[in-house]
Amino acid sequence: MQKGNISSVTEFLLLGFSVLGINPVVLFLIFALVYGTILLFNIIVMSVILIDRTLHNPMYFLFFAFSVSDTSTTFVTIPKLLVTLLTGHQSISFTGCTLQVFWFFGLGANNCFLLVAMAYDRYVAICYPLQYQVLMSKRTCAKLVAASFVAGFLISLNIDCLIFRLPFCGPNGVRHFFCDLSPVLRLACTDIYLTSVVIVFFCAIVLLATVILIIISYINILSAILKIQSSMGRQKAFSTCASHLTVVLTHFGCASFVYLRPKSGSSLDQDTMISMVYVFLTPLLNPMIYALRNKEVKFAIKKLLKKLFCFQKF
């Protein structure tokens, strides 16, 4: 997307941690430990969902897809961050920055759409339990996942084209630990007002539209739950939604704060810190939320660990 006679910048410098004054080796060890934990937790949950036949249902299929997408988001940002901290090599090529924006925003948007699909799954399960197997068939689930990926990356492609068609003629220091929308856009040597408005519009479509759809699903779910006569039935229905709601609040809370709040010249460093929470904390918490708050997943993990220990002893 770089046009030789328009953009003289051939690489960007990621300056996100240079202003913190913390030993980069210490940061590397901390982030490497957190990243290892993220991968471990997500691999365990994804493996359990694949292996345990009792978890082969739409709810866990959708969470498996969400976990794959969430983990893939970390591949886009964290390995480069770790290399930068370890080697001190802060540069990223123009093409590399373009791809990082495309994959990061595409996977982030896909996560939002998958959370809507998961809300729809809970809506069908609680409001139409007798028709659940028909309405949430394997074919339907596959279509929901495919549509989420396609929609996410189509929006991301448009945003990528909007940003990297602009001229970049210097400076090239990105005040972030990866190529994110706002810090890269501010480096363009032209008026970015119209481009910024269009990008905010795309972000609003992804975040606000998906939040509205989730709220509508839960209004109907709440209405159906309140009609259940037994308190045990109501509690069981609420418990099936608790994990999803927790993930929704964490995901949309961080994303909305970074991409929808009004920007100011001094907000970039704050955005970097919030983005760190989004990149590190959400993929760490999401498998823990589903594992710790869900009896079926906890039981499946215990079964898997028992099998592994018994195999090792043998």
Side-chain angles (χ1 to χ4, degrees):
M1 295 181 191
Q2 183 180 2
K3 307 193 177 177
N5 61 338
I6 296 178
S7 295
S8 59
V9 169
T10 58
E11 66 177 18
F12 294 97
L13 299 177
L14 302 175
L15 309 176
F17 294 112
S18 60
V19 295
L20 294 181
I22 302 174
N23 189 317
V25 177
V26 174
L27 286 175
F28 171 83
L29 293 174
I30 293 170
F31 291 141
L33 179 62
V34 174
Y35 190 41
T37 307
I38 289 170
L39 294 179
L40 177 63
F41 284 178
N42 278 280
I43 288 170
I44 288 173
V45 172
M46 286 189 286
S47 299
V48 164
I49 293 172
L50 279 177
I51 294 169
D52 198 304
R53 300 181 75 83
T54 62
L55 301 180
H56 290 182
N57 60 54
M59 182 173 75
Y60 295 113
F61 173 77
L62 291 172
F63 179 71
F64 178 85
F66 179 80
S67 189
V68 169
S69 180
D70 211 22
T71 307
S72 298
T73 306
T74 68
F75 295 152
V76 178
T77 55
I78 298 179
K80 173 60 180 173
L81 178 154
L82 294 175
V83 169
T84 299
L85 289 173
L86 192 61
T87 64
H89 187 68
Q90 296 177 308
S91 65
I92 182 171
S93 68
F94 190 96
T95 302
C97 191
T98 304
L99 291 173
Q100 202 171 53
V101 169
F102 171 74
W103 284 104
F104 182 78
F105 195 87
L107 289 166
N110 174 59
N111 288 347
C112 294
F113 294 130
L114 283 173
L115 286 171
V116 175
M118 292 160 75
Y120 175 71
D121 169 72
R122 291 299 82 209
Y123 161 73
V124 174
I126 292 171
C127 297
Y128 301 98
L130 299 179
Q131 302 174 50
Y132 180 69
Q133 295 300 327
V134 176
L135 293 174
M136 291 302 295
S137 63
K138 290 181 180 180
R139 187 183 181 89
T140 302
C141 289
K143 285 181 178 179
L144 287 171
V145 171
S148 297
F149 274 92
V150 171
F153 284 111
L154 279 177
I155 292 173
S156 180
L157 181 62
N158 278 283
I159 288 176
D160 222 33
C161 292
L162 281 170
I163 294 175
F164 291 100
R165 69 173 176 75
L166 298 173
F168 292 89
C169 38
N172 66 339
V174 179
R175 286 171 57 191
H176 214 299
F177 63 89
F178 69 97
C179 288
D180 202 4
L181 304 181
S182 183
V184 172
L185 192 59
R186 292 183 187 217
L187 297 178
C189 48
T190 187
D191 181 32
I192 62 170
Y193 176 76
L194 183 59
T195 303
S196 299
V197 169
V198 176
I199 289 175
V200 168
F201 173 73
F202 276 120
C203 292
I205 288 177
V206 174
L207 293 173
L208 295 181
T210 50
V211 166
I212 289 170
L213 288 172
I214 290 171
I215 290 172
I216 291 171
S217 295
Y218 272 99
I219 288 173
N220 286 283
I221 288 170
L222 183 61
S223 176
I225 289 175
L226 293 176
K227 293 176 183 176
I228 298 173
Q229 297 298 321
S230 80
S231 59
M232 187 176 293
R234 287 196 297 271
Q235 187 177 353
K236 185 179 179 181
F238 273 122
S239 67
T240 63
C241 302
S243 300
H244 177 254
L245 275 174
T246 309
V247 171
V248 165
L249 290 172
T250 306
H251 179 85
F252 284 103
C254 293
S256 299
F257 192 80
V258 173
Y259 295 110
L260 291 185
R261 70 188 176 90
K263 304 294 180 182
S264 65
S266 60
S267 68
L268 280 177
D269 294 334
Q270 192 176 22
D271 284 350
T272 302
M273 296 300 106
I274 300 297
S275 294
M276 282 178 59
V277 173
Y278 179 74
V279 170
F280 280 95
L281 195 59
T282 54
L284 178 64
L285 288 179
N286 292 341
M288 292 175 65
I289 290 166
Y290 265 80
L292 296 177
R293 296 186 65 92
N294 194 294
K295 292 179 181 179
E296 290 177 316
V297 177
K298 281 194 288 187
F299 183 68
I301 290 173
K302 286 178 182 177
K303 279 200 304 183
L304 179 62
L305 292 176
K306 277 184 181 179
K307 285 181 181 178
L308 290 174
F309 284 129
C310 288
F311 179 76
Q312 288 178 353
K313 286 178 183 178
F314 179 78

